[in-house]
Amino acid sequence: MSAPSAAATLPFTGEFDLELTLTCGQVFHWRREGDAWLGAIGGAPCRVEQHGRELTVRGIAPGKAAHYFALDHPLDEIYASFPRDPAMAAALDACRGLRIVRQPWWECIATFITSAQKSVIHIAQISHMLRERYGARIECDFGTLHAYPEPAVIAALDERDLRACALGYRARHLLATARAVASGTFDLAEVAKLDDAAAHAALLRLAGVGPKVAHCALLFGFGRLTSFPIDVWIERILRTLYFAGKRRVTAKRLREFGAGYFGPFGGYAQQYLFHHARTTWPRGGRPALRPRRASRSAAPGAKAA
DNA sequence: CTCCAGGTTCCGG
DNA sequence: CCGGAACATGGA
C-alpha cells in the first residue's frame, strides 16, 4: 500500500540548512541518498531535499515535516538573542540555518540514553541497528525505512538482545527506562506539561538519564530551547573560551554560566558552539593555536536569504 | 596498543 | 557538594 507520494514544497522564512540540521549531532538516523535525505519522522516516511530556498518533501504531510524541522523557529530573533562575543560569533557564522528539530519524545530520550560516552557515528550505528531489528518497517515508494522501536517492544526484550546492538552497559539503562515508560509508571506526556526545571527533575528519575541527557531530551525532544546540555565538548569550550586562565572552575559554576549567559535560546547557542568546535577542533580538543581562516567564505551566504 | 567518545551511577570524604 | 572509579565498545 505504498502509493507514489506527491512532492510538496515547504515554505520557510529566514534561513535553513537541511544538511547541517541533520548532521550536527542532534539526531542520528537520517541517511543521504544523492541530493536527498531519507528518514522516519516518528512512524512516517520522509524524503527531503533542499536546493537553496527550495525545500521539497515526500511521504509525509507537509505540515508534519514543517513542524519536525521547526521551520517556525524565529531564527532572526534567536540569533539576535545570542551574546556578542568572538566564540559565539564564529559559531553562528559557521552554523547559520541549523535548526533544532522537534524529535518524538521517546526516541529522543532513548537515543540519548544510548549516547553516553559514544561518538556521534557510533550513536548512529546503534540507532540504525535498533531500528532495523526492532522498529516498525515503513515501506514507501522511495525505499524501506524503520521507525524507532516503541517502548513496549524494547521493554519485552532481554538485556542481551540490546547488548547485541553494541549498547554495552547502556543496555540496562535503556531496558529499565523502556519498561518504566511502557508500563505507564513514567508518563512522558506529563513531563511535557511541566515547566523546564520540573521537567528536568522528572526526567532524572529515568535510568540512564542524568543532567546532560535530560537537557538533550528537553532541547531536542520537548522543544525547551533554553536547555543547555553540558557534555565534554561544551565543557572544553566553556573552560577554554569563556574561562580562559581561570583555575578550579567548578561544574556548578559552568552550569550556572551556561544557563544564564547564553540567554533564552541557550540551547541553540549550545548546539552552534558544539557543532562548530566538534568540526573544527582536533579530536581530544583544543582550538587550533592559529585558527584556520575560512578559506572560502562564499558558500554560507549563497544559500542564505 | 593507547586514547577517546554528546555520561550515569555509586561510593567515600 | 565534590572527586574518583566502574561501566562496554569501536574508531582513530
Side-chain angles (χ1 to χ4, degrees):
Chain A
M1 58 187 289
S2 58
S5 51
T9 299
L10 292 187
F12 59 93
T13 57
E15 301 172 52
F16 182 55
D17 188 321
L18 177 66
E19 177 173 0
L20 199 49
T21 295
L22 296 180
T23 61
C24 70
Q26 63 174 320
V27 62
F28 305 91
H29 70 283
W30 290 85
R31 70 170 194 268
R32 187 202 299 273
E33 189 179 276
D35 288 339
W37 289 89
L38 304 182
I41 295 180
C46 180
R47 179 186 186 281
V48 57
E49 192 169 346
Q50 178 177 32
H51 295 283
R53 295 199 58 79
E54 184 82 4
L55 185 64
T56 58
V57 297
R58 295 169 187 274
I60 186 174
K64 297 208 172 203
H67 182 260
Y68 179 83
F69 290 113
L71 298 181
D72 56 312
H73 279 173
L75 286 196
D76 289 340
E77 179 189 341
I78 290 168
Y79 295 163
S81 77
F82 286 171
R84 303 169 129 285
D85 66 65
M88 194 65 242
L92 172 56
D93 188 52
C95 299
R96 281 184 175 279
L98 189 170
R99 286 173 187 261
I100 303 293
V101 305
R102 293 188 177 94
Q103 296 180 52
W105 301 332
W106 162 248
E107 64 181 70
C108 185
I109 292 170
T111 300
F112 277 98
I113 286 174
T114 67
S115 79
Q117 291 293 100
K118 281 293 179 190
S119 64
V120 169
I121 52 169
H122 199 192
I123 298 166
Q125 289 171 9
I126 291 170
S127 172
H128 281 121
M129 215 177 313
L130 288 172
R131 286 170 179 271
E132 283 165 19
R133 290 191 186 185
Y134 304 113
R137 286 170 61 90
I138 304 171
E139 304 288 352
C140 55
D141 59 327
F142 46 81
T144 300
L145 300 176
H146 297 267
Y148 197 88
E150 294 295 324
V153 173
I154 293 180
L157 296 176
D158 188 272
E159 185 178 322
R160 281 168 306 191
D161 300 328
L162 293 175
R163 283 186 182 253
C165 295
L167 281 178
Y169 62 87
R170 303 154 197 80
R172 192 166 56 84
H173 296 151
L174 180 60
L175 187 57
T177 288
R179 288 179 175 166
V181 173
S183 69
T185 303
F186 193 97
D187 189 349
L188 297 180
E190 289 301 316
V191 173
K193 298 175 185 169
L194 302 172
D195 63 55
D196 292 357
H200 189 263
L203 288 170
L204 290 183
R205 291 172 19 218
L206 293 170
V209 178
K212 188 270 181 183
V213 170
H215 272 121
C216 285
L218 288 175
L219 178 59
F220 303 126
F222 291 87
R224 306 303 176 90
L225 302 184
T226 305
S227 293
F228 194 90
I230 298 180
D231 70 316
V232 291
W233 282 97
I234 290 296
E235 179 163 355
R236 268 181 216 138
I237 291 163
L238 294 184
R239 288 186 187 282
T240 306
L241 302 179
Y242 292 94
F243 290 88
K246 306 276 198 299
R247 284 186 293 112
R248 284 206 314 277
V249 179
T250 64
K252 180 189 174 106
R253 179 82 190 284
L254 291 180
R255 281 201 306 276
E256 292 169 351
F257 178 77
Y261 177 76
F262 295 97
F265 298 103
Y268 257 93
Q270 184 272 2
Q271 191 59 17
Y272 280 42
L273 290 167
F274 169 83
H275 187 254
H276 179 53
R278 213 177 65 79
T279 51
T280 57
W281 290 13
R283 134 185 139 113
R286 285 286 178 275
L289 293 176
R290 206 177 289 279
R292 13 191 164 103
R293 228 38 229 170
S295 47
R296 282 158 296 175
S297 53
K303 76 174 73 165

